[in-house]
Amino acid sequence: MEQLLKCLVIDDDPQVNDYVCEMVRQTPFLQLAGTFDHAAAAIHELEQGAINLIILDINLPGVDGVTFAATLKDLPNKTIPAVILISGSPEYAIAGYKVDAIDYLVKPFSYDDFYKSVSMARRLLQVHKPGNASEYLFLKVEHDLVRVNIKDIQYLESLRDYVKVVTEASTITALSTLKALESKLIGHQFMRVHRSFIVNLDKIESIQHMTIRFGKTIIPVTEQYRTAFKSVFSDWL
């Protein structure tokens, strides 16, 4: 039997809060673990470490939803809950992806919109749950998840609010941060060599004077990362 995802709903509008809670109750793989009208009230529940998903309003009293989502990485447990942000305006969507939100729903949204978002969260949580050695990433491209095999990636490049993920066969521009994707590459042969670049060490075609070549693309290894890079290739550099 599939394990239920424990979910918190945080919204200061009572009608929206009740509406979202009812959607959670209607969704077979979700379990409503709590509902709050401001972010601080949810901290105790989150510190217990059993919450998988938060449906979080951006325009909250006190600490706003984006600021609160950014603090989740500091929770005293290893499992960081996934976040779906909701708002009455689309203007905060990019800010949401900066804190690695799964999706961004603009009010009023339908149950179909809600179900697509929480299904996306379920897929990502299944991939990255403890004990799963993931061999692929799901990249957020608008409202779709695009699967990419990690071993096929040549390099990743930060583009402000996006990340360009380059493989031998394709280039995908995903809504994410380089830091967020870097955390999902732990255990694979990837290294940050520049503030804006992470490279797959197994895909490097050539190295010359602290620059890396992938076809016609040349990536410099900046001073901050040279010691670590040289240690990997100490037999050749």
Side-chain angles (χ1 to χ4, degrees):
M1 183 176 178
E2 182 180 9
Q3 185 177 0
L4 296 177
L5 300 182
K6 293 185 177 180
C7 177
L8 296 184
V9 175
I10 307 176
D11 196 304
D12 64 323
D13 184 322
Q15 289 186 319
V16 175
N17 198 311
D18 290 346
Y19 179 67
V20 176
C21 287
E22 183 57 33
M23 289 183 177
V24 172
R25 295 187 185 99
Q26 290 179 27
T27 306
F29 56 85
L30 296 182
Q31 177 184 339
L32 184 62
T35 175
F36 304 94
D37 61 5
H38 62 285
I43 291 175
H44 177 73
E45 192 73 37
L46 288 164
E47 287 179 340
Q48 306 310 305
I51 302 302
N52 307 111
L53 176 64
I54 307 173
I55 301 167
L56 178 64
D57 186 29
I58 285 183
N59 302 111
L60 292 170
V63 179
D64 67 85
V66 171
T67 301
F68 183 69
T71 70
L72 296 176
K73 65 182 183 302
D74 300 321
L75 288 170
N77 54 71
K78 294 182 179 179
T79 303
I80 300 173
V83 173
I84 294 172
L85 291 170
I86 59 177
S87 176
S89 170
E91 65 182 292
Y92 300 104
I94 293 298
Y97 286 116
K98 284 184 177 180
V99 294
D100 208 27
I102 296 293
D103 204 1
Y104 184 94
L105 293 172
V106 179
K107 307 173 192 177
F109 50 87
S110 66
Y111 179 71
D112 185 54
D113 296 328
F114 175 83
Y115 189 83
K116 287 177 182 177
S117 290
V118 295
S119 295
M120 188 185 304
R122 176 175 61 167
R123 291 194 296 272
L124 286 174
L125 288 168
Q126 287 173 341
V127 169
H128 298 299
K129 67 183 179 181
N132 274 15
S134 179
E135 297 300 323
Y136 48 88
L137 297 175
F138 276 111
L139 301 174
K140 291 175 285 190
V141 182
E142 296 184 349
H143 291 289
D144 294 329
L145 288 176
V146 178
R147 173 172 162 160
V148 176
N149 292 328
I150 290 175
K151 64 180 178 61
D152 294 336
I153 297 172
Q154 293 181 317
Y155 66 90
L156 303 89
E157 179 183 1
S158 175
L159 301 174
R160 293 175 64 85
D161 300 317
Y162 300 84
V163 175
K164 182 169 72 174
V165 179
V166 178
T167 73
E168 293 177 353
S170 66
T171 297
I172 299 168
T173 302
L175 280 162
S176 185
T177 62
L178 200 60
K179 183 177 180 181
L181 292 182
E182 183 177 25
S183 68
K184 295 177 174 64
L185 295 171
I186 294 172
H188 297 273
Q189 289 291 92
F190 284 80
M191 176 178 285
R192 189 186 283 258
V193 296
H194 185 285
R195 182 180 178 182
S196 299
F197 288 94
I198 296 172
V199 303
N200 184 345
L201 300 176
D202 289 337
K203 293 289 186 179
I204 293 174
E205 295 180 11
S206 65
I207 303 167
Q208 184 178 26
H209 304 305
M210 286 294 105
T211 61
I212 299 165
R213 184 181 294 275
F214 296 93
K216 295 182 179 180
T217 301
I218 298 175
I219 299 171
V221 182
T222 54
E223 188 67 35
Q224 180 181 356
Y225 303 99
R226 285 183 181 178
T227 300
F229 185 76
K230 286 179 179 179
S231 70
V232 173
F233 296 97
S234 58
D235 291 341
W236 296 278
L237 294 177

